[in-house]
C-alpha cells in the first residue's frame, strides 16, 4: 500500500513539474498559450507593470543582464540595458515643433522631437538643448529656408556644475565644452544624447549626426 501511494505521488509530482514548464501564462485564458512565447500575460482590463525605480536605484544594480527592463521614475521612460548602457525605449512618433522666425524654442529632455524652421526666407532662430536628457534621446532639426541659420546651443552652466559638451560625430575634433553650432539653410541634423558614465566629469554628451 505504501509502495502504491509513493508511486502515485511520484507520478503526480512528475506530471505537475512537466505542466509547470508549459503553463507559463498569467491572466485571461491561462490554458491558451502562444507557442512562440516563453512567458505570456493576457488581459483586457490590466497592463503589465515592470519594476519601477529611480536612475540612482537603476545604476545600483550590480552587473545587469543584457535585455534587463525597468521603468525609470526619474526620466519617466522604459529603459533597457543593452550590455553596455541603459537606453530609453522610444516607440512613439516624434513631436513636430515649428520654430518661430527669429524665435527661440527649448528642446525636451524626455521626449524626442523634430524642429522645423518654415516660412522665413532669410531669418535666424535658436534651439536650446537641455544640459541633461534621457540616455539615447534624439532630436532632429531641419532648416527649410533659403537663407538664415538655426543656432543650436545650451543654457550656461553654473560654476561648479558638470558641463554637457557637443561633438560632431563625423569630425575628429575634441569635445566642445562651450557648445554651439549653426545649421545653414536647407540642412538638417540629428542630435543624440549619450550618457556614457554617470560618474564622469560630464553630464553626458550631445552627438551631432550631419
Amino acid at each position: 500500500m505504501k509502495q502504491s501511494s509513493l508511486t502515485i505521488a511520484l507520478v503526480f509530482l512528475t506530471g505537475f513539474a512537466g505542466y509547470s514548464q508549459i503553463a507559463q501564462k498569467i491572466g485571461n485564458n491561462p490554458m491558451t498559450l502562444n507557442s512562440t512565447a516563453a512567458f505570456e500575460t493576457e488581459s483586457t482590463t490590466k497592463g503589465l507593470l515592470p519594476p519601477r525605480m529611480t536612475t540612482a536605484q537603476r545604476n545600483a544594480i550590480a552587473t545587469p543582464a543584457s535585455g534587463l527592463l525597468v521603468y525609470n521614475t526619474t526620466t519617466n521612460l522604459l529603459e533597457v540595458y543593452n550590455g553596455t548602457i541603459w537606453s530609453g525605449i522610444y516607440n512613439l512618433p516624434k513631436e513636430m515643433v515649428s520654430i518661430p522666425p527669429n524665435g527661440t524654442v527649448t528642446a525636451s529632455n524626455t521626449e524626442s522631437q523634430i524642429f522645423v524652421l518654415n516660412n522665413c526666407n532669410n531669418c535666424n532662430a535658436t534651439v536650446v538643448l537641455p544640459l541633461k536628457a534621457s540616455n539615447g534621446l534624439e532630436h532632429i532639426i531641419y532648416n527649410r529656408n533659403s537663407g538664415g541659420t538655426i543656432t543650436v546651443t545650451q543654457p550656461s552652466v553654473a560654476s561648479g556644475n558638470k558641463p554637457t559638451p557637443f561633438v560632431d560625430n563625423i569630425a575628429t575634433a575634441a569635445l566642445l565644452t562651450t557648445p554651439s553650432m549653426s545649421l545653414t539653410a536647407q540642412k538638417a541634423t540629428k542630435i543624440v544624447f549619450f550618457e556614457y558614465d554617470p560618474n564622469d566629469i560630464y553630464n553626458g554628451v550631445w552627438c551631432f549626426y550631419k
Side-chain angles (χ1 to χ4, degrees), residues 172-189:
T172 58
L175 297 179
L176 302 175
T177 54
T178 54
S180 180
M181 62 88 67
S182 294
L183 190 65
T184 56
Q186 298 299 314
K187 299 292 184 180
T189 186

Side-chain angles (χ1 to χ4, degrees), residues 74-136:
T74 302
T75 62
N76 293 319
L77 288 171
L78 277 173
E79 294 182 342
V80 63
Y81 190 73
N82 66 6
T84 304
I85 61 173
W86 289 94
S87 297
I89 297 177
Y90 305 97
N91 54 6
L92 297 176
K94 294 181 177 63
E95 176 191 12
M96 294 291 296
V97 179
S98 179
I99 306 174
N102 298 310
T104 298
V105 293
T106 300
S108 171
N109 65 345
T110 59
E111 180 180 3
S112 294
Q113 298 168 305
I114 299 175
F115 297 91
V116 182
L117 178 60
N118 281 321
N119 305 320
C120 184
N121 291 326
N122 191 22
C123 61
N124 302 302
T126 302
V127 175
V128 181
L129 296 177
L131 295 174
K132 187 171 178 60
S134 303
N135 195 19

Side-chain angles (χ1 to χ4, degrees), residues 149-196:
T149 61
I150 298 176
T151 299
V152 183
T153 186
Q154 290 179 163
S156 58
V157 180
S159 177
N161 288 349
K162 292 182 177 182
T164 304
F166 287 5
V167 63
D168 184 337
N169 192 58
I170 298 175
T172 58
L175 297 179
L176 302 175
T177 54
T178 54
S180 180
M181 62 88 67
S182 294
L183 190 65
T184 56
Q186 298 299 314
K187 299 292 184 180
T189 186
K190 181 174 73 171
I191 309 166
V192 180
F193 186 82
F194 182 42
E195 182 186 19
Y196 42 88

